[in-house]
Amino acid sequence: PALKRLYLEVPALKRLYLEVPALKRLYLATAALTRLCIASRKGRLVEVWPLARPGTPDRGLAQGQTRTWISKALEGLTKILLCKTKHRKVVLNMQPNITEIAERIRALREIMEISPAEMARTTGVSEEEYTTLEAGEKDFSFTFLFNCAERFGVDMIEILTGENPHLSGYCMVRKGTGLPIKRRQGFKYEHLAATFRDKISEPFLVTAPYIAEEQENPIALSVHEGQEFDYILSGSLKFVYGDHAEILQAGDSVYYDSGKGHGMIAVGGEDCVFISVVMRRAD
C-alpha cells in the first residue's frame, strides 16, 4: 500500500516509469527510494534520508540496509538521468513500438498492484488474451489502449511514446504530422493533439481501409467509457451501434455513447477517412 500511495502521490515517479526505456533499472532504483520512505509495517511515510542528521535513529531501518538502499538509489537514478539525457530528443511523429508499449503497460500494472485478471475485465478481453497483449506478442486495439490509460490514470500518449505531453495553451499539428497509430484491422490513426496535456478528449484523423472480405462478416464491437463523435471526410462508413446500422457518407456525422457496443468498417469499395473525437466520461 505504501508503494502504491507513493507512486500515486509523486507524479515524477509516474513520468519516469513511462519515459525511461531502462524499466528494470528504474524499477530497482524506485523500489530502493520507496524503502527509504517506509517507516513501519503499516506503511507510514517518513523522512526520505534518515542518515541526513547525525544521531538520528533509523526508525526501524537497519543502518547498513539504509546505506545500501541509498547507494542503489543514487546509482540507479544516475543511470536514469544519463539515459534521459542521451535520449532527450524524442520525435513523436514515429510509429510507437509494440514491445515498448507492452513494457509500459506491464510496469504500470505492477506498480499499481493490479492483477492481470482485473486488467482483462477492464479492457474487455480474456485473461489469456490480456497476458498475450502485455507480453507484446499481439498488437493492441485502440479500445484496449484507451481503457488501459483510463485505468492507470495516465494520458494515452504516455503509454504509446513514454513522453509526457507538456503543452497547455494550444498545440498545432500540420498536415500529415500527427502521431501515427496503426491499430485494429489496419485502421490508421493520427493523433491530432499528442503534445497537449490534461486533455479531456482524444482527437484523431482515422483511415478505415476497405476490405472486401469483411463486408459480409459481423462487425466487431468495441466498448470504452465516455462519448465519441465521428465526422466523415471522404468515402463511406458502415456504423453499427448495438442492433442498429447506418451508412455514413462524406459530410455526415454521428455522436454516441461509446460505453455501449459500437463498430465500423469502410464500405463502397474505397477507404473511408474521418475525424474521430473520443471524450472521457464525466467524473
Side-chain angles (χ1 to χ4, degrees), residues 191-231:
H191 201 297
L192 302 180
T195 57
F196 196 88
R197 71 184 184 189
D198 300 327
K199 292 184 288 292
I200 60 175
S201 66
E202 305 285 348
F204 297 94
L205 176 64
V206 186
T207 300
Y210 175 81
I211 302 175
E213 293 77 13
E214 68 181 11
Q215 299 302 307
E216 302 301 325
N217 296 332
I219 296 177
L221 302 183
S222 300
V223 175
H224 51 87
E225 293 298 322
Q227 299 175 346
E228 187 168 338
F229 171 76
D230 298 330
Y231 179 85

Side-chain angles (χ1 to χ4, degrees), residues 43-259:
R44 182 170 57 88
L45 300 183
V46 296
E47 185 177 356
V48 173
W49 307 110
L51 298 182
R53 296 191 300 271
T56 301
D58 285 341
R59 302 183 185 182
L61 294 173
Q63 188 165 335
Q65 282 184 309
T66 302
R67 287 200 180 98
T68 300
W69 287 334
I70 291 175
S71 176
K72 286 183 179 180
L74 291 177
E75 179 184 358
L77 288 177
T78 300
K79 292 177 181 178
I80 290 168
L81 293 175
L82 290 174
C83 182
K84 287 174 65 64
T85 301
K86 180 179 179 181
H87 299 287
R88 192 59 191 168
K89 184 178 180 181
V90 178
V91 181
L92 286 182
N93 190 29
M94 295 176 63
Q95 181 63 45
N97 181 280
I98 295 175
T99 302
E100 292 179 1
I101 294 172
E103 288 176 345
R104 294 183 193 109
I105 291 173
R106 183 174 65 252
L108 285 167
R109 179 185 62 76
E110 290 177 349
I111 195 62
M112 295 188 72
E113 298 179 343
I114 304 173
S115 69
E118 181 180 344
M119 283 304 301
R121 290 191 296 271
T122 298
T123 55
V125 299
S126 67
E127 187 172 351
E128 181 180 359
E129 184 177 0
Y130 177 83
T131 302
T132 300
L133 288 163
E134 193 182 83
E137 298 173 1
K138 183 179 178 181
D139 201 358
F140 313 96
S141 69
F142 165 79
T143 301
F144 179 86
L145 293 171
F146 184 86
N147 286 334
C148 283
E150 288 292 285
R151 180 63 181 87
F152 297 144
V154 301
D155 194 300
M156 189 170 69
I157 300 303
E158 297 180 59
I159 293 180
L160 288 169
T161 68
E163 282 293 297
N164 190 33
H166 58 281
L167 297 180
S168 59
Y170 73 94
C171 72
M172 181 178 64
V173 177
R174 297 290 185 183
K175 180 179 179 180
T177 62
L179 176 67
I181 311 168
K182 189 176 182 181
R183 294 289 177 265
R184 191 180 70 81
Q185 300 174 359
F187 271 48
K188 177 185 175 183
Y189 295 83
E190 276 189 53
H191 201 297
L192 302 180
T195 57
F196 196 88
R197 71 184 184 189
D198 300 327
K199 292 184 288 292
I200 60 175
S201 66
E202 305 285 348
F204 297 94
L205 176 64
V206 186
T207 300
Y210 175 81
I211 302 175
E213 293 77 13
E214 68 181 11
Q215 299 302 307
E216 302 301 325
N217 296 332
I219 296 177
L221 302 183
S222 300
V223 175
H224 51 87
E225 293 298 322
Q227 299 175 346
E228 187 168 338
F229 171 76
D230 298 330
Y231 179 85
I232 311 303
L233 298 175
S234 65
S236 301
L237 190 75
K238 183 176 182 180
F239 170 75
V240 174
Y241 188 83
D243 297 329
H244 301 275
E246 303 285 351
I247 301 296
L248 305 178
Q249 309 288 350
D252 295 341
S253 65
V254 59
Y255 189 103
Y256 52 96
D257 176 2
S258 55

